[in-house]
Amino acid sequence: MAQPLIELSDVHKTYGAGTDVVVEVLHGIDFTMQAGEFTALIGPSGSGKSTLLNLIGLLEPPTTGSYRLNGRETTTLAEAELTQLRATTIGFVFQFHHLLPAFTATENVLMPGLIAHGPVTRERREAARDVLRAVGLSDRLDYPPRKLSGGQQQRVAIARALSLAPPLVLADEPTGNLDTHSADEIFALMRWFNAERGVAFLIVTHDPRLARRCDRIVELVDGAIASDRPNTADRGGEHRHATATPRPA
């Protein structure tokens, strides 16, 4: 089997060490995910989903255990090395898009590259516009967020997450702030990037309807993985939709 994209082994996360109140949020997590997978992470509120996503996203370290990302052991890396690995390997999509209101769609998509690589070049600007076209916003390239619908703003957020062509996107309730129609469009868009460009997605969702349309469902309960199963439901229509070229909302 190919080297996993994500590999966690006996990962624990504890808060409050050295104080009177010590809380262990994650208890011995073992989890692997291959390149190109499309996985849902579900579980009740307080089960540790956000903490696990933060660890996988290199936003905070595990207390104990091993975490290898794309073959690199992350727990021994310095902060600068973690920042570089995060920038080149992971894209993030959140429930709230966090677009910068003073900048256009194109400028928002350019932000990760500006942080990682410095001043914007003509080639990087055109690449940003290309990914916006890919998410169906060819006629909104120079619009500020206030002139975009909620679904269009989330499309910009997806384009921003994909701007540096990461092999992995972590999505935390990416459709939670959208109506059903817009949520379906955003989900289909993520499936398109997974099917056509091989981007792996790990999606936290409370929506069982969306979870059922993922290829694998991992359930977290009380800081431990309660179940990890392939989704064997018939998703033929979803895959047919996913392979279609994205269109503007």
Side-chain angles (χ1 to χ4, degrees):
M1 182 177 291
Q3 171 183 279
L5 179 59
I6 296 171
E7 186 174 12
L8 284 78
S9 179
D10 195 25
V11 164
H12 294 251
K13 182 62 180 180
T14 301
Y15 294 101
T19 72
D20 294 334
V21 182
V22 178
V23 178
E24 185 170 85
V25 178
L26 298 178
H27 315 291
I29 298 292
D30 294 315
F31 173 70
T32 62
M33 184 169 159
Q34 300 293 329
E37 281 195 35
F38 198 93
T39 299
L41 178 62
I42 65 171
S45 296
S47 60
K49 299 187 303 297
S50 293
T51 299
L52 180 57
L53 209 67
N54 285 342
L55 294 185
I56 293 172
L58 303 177
L59 299 176
E60 53 182 302
T63 303
T64 62
S66 169
Y67 172 29
R68 299 180 69 85
L69 177 61
N70 213 17
R72 295 188 67 184
E73 176 57 58
T74 66
T75 58
T76 58
L77 296 180
E79 188 59 39
E81 294 173 303
L82 288 171
T83 299
Q84 180 65 19
L85 182 60
R86 184 169 53 242
T88 57
T89 309
I90 305 172
F92 296 89
V93 180
F94 303 99
Q95 177 176 352
F96 300 99
H97 47 76
H98 300 299
L99 300 181
L100 299 173
F103 296 93
T104 67
T106 297
E107 290 166 340
N108 270 278
V109 173
L110 283 167
M111 286 299 165
L114 179 64
I115 294 169
H117 303 300
V120 174
T121 64
R122 179 182 301 176
E123 291 77 13
R124 290 222 306 274
R125 181 173 294 275
E126 189 54 35
R129 296 170 81 86
D130 281 345
V131 73
L132 281 167
R133 294 183 186 105
V135 301
L137 293 177
S138 58
D139 58 344
R140 298 290 190 272
L141 301 176
D142 298 313
Y143 279 49
R146 69 179 181 278
K147 293 188 176 181
L148 301 174
S149 69
Q152 288 171 338
Q153 290 178 38
Q154 195 64 313
R155 286 173 181 251
V156 176
I158 290 173
R160 180 180 59 193
L162 294 164
S163 62
L164 298 181
L168 172 65
V169 168
L170 304 178
D172 192 359
E173 297 285 357
T175 63
N177 199 39
L178 301 174
D179 59 67
T180 300
H181 175 71
S182 296
D184 284 343
E185 289 190 331
I186 292 301
F187 188 86
L189 187 61
M190 292 189 293
R191 290 242 55 148
W192 184 88
F193 277 100
N194 172 251
E196 296 297 313
R197 300 193 179 181
V199 180
F201 283 83
L202 179 59
I203 301 171
V204 169
T205 181
H206 281 98
D207 188 342
R209 188 177 60 92
L210 295 182
R212 286 193 297 267
R213 293 158 65 185
C214 295
D215 298 328
R216 175 184 174 192
I217 301 174
V218 178
E219 183 177 12
L220 201 65
V221 177
D222 294 332
I225 293 178
S227 67
D228 183 349
R229 60 193 185 273
N231 185 6
T232 57
D234 180 11
R235 299 181 311 285
E238 179 63 48
H239 286 294
R240 285 192 294 274
H241 192 187
T243 57
T245 302
R247 296 285 183 250

